[in-house]
């Protein structure tokens, strides 16, 4: 049965729980991927899982997950474009002041 994973909101620092057992040092921890490609891939995987399931509740969950992943990808892409635009504007201002 296909499964889809909905994105989990990051807890605020005051609500983080400490693991019961020993934890890996920071250098060996796997980095969290926050690229638009990752989010788009997760959205596509959730859409695929929704198409392949016969259970309506699973399909609805996967479609909700797809929408959430897509929204995060769209937001990240807009932010990246805004940063690039601001950097270009700043460079133009610096060039004009010279």
């Amino acid at each position: 049965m296909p499964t889809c994973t909905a994105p989990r909101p990051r807890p605020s620092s005051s609500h983080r729980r400490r693991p019961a057992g020993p934890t890996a040092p920071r250098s060996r921890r796997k980095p969290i991927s926050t690229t638009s490609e990752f989010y788009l891939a997760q959205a596509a995987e959730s859409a695929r899982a929704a198409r392949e399931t016969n259970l309506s509740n699973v399909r609805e969950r996967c479609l909700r997950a797809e929408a959430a992943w897509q929204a995060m990808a769209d937001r990240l892409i807009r932010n990246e474009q805004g940063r690039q635009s601001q950097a270009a504007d700043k460079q133009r201002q610096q060039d004009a002041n010279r």
Side-chain angles (χ1 to χ4, degrees):
M1 174 188 287
T3 61
C4 56
T5 57
R8 294 183 180 168
R10 293 183 181 170
S12 65
S13 59
S14 63
H15 291 95
R16 290 190 181 164
R17 295 182 189 155
R18 291 190 162 199
T23 60
R26 287 190 184 267
S27 62
R28 284 195 269 155
R29 289 185 186 166
K30 206 173 186 184
I32 297 174
S33 180
T34 55
T35 64
S36 57
E37 292 84 16
F38 173 76
Y39 292 149
L40 292 171
Q42 292 297 314
E45 175 61 26
S46 294
R48 182 197 59 76
R51 281 192 308 273
E52 291 179 0
T53 189
N54 295 325
L55 302 172
S56 62
N57 60 332
V58 174
R59 185 178 309 110
E60 290 170 10
R61 182 187 69 215
C62 290
L63 292 174
R64 284 192 309 269
E66 177 192 11
W69 285 115
Q70 186 65 49
M72 287 190 294
D74 293 344
R75 190 177 315 124
L76 184 61
I77 290 169
R78 275 194 315 271
N79 288 341
E80 289 171 349
Q81 291 171 345
R83 275 189 225 107
Q84 290 173 352
S85 175
Q86 285 179 345
D89 290 345
K90 187 175 181 178
Q91 185 63 41
R92 276 194 293 273
Q93 283 181 342
Q94 288 177 349
D95 291 344
N97 291 336
R98 290 183 186 181

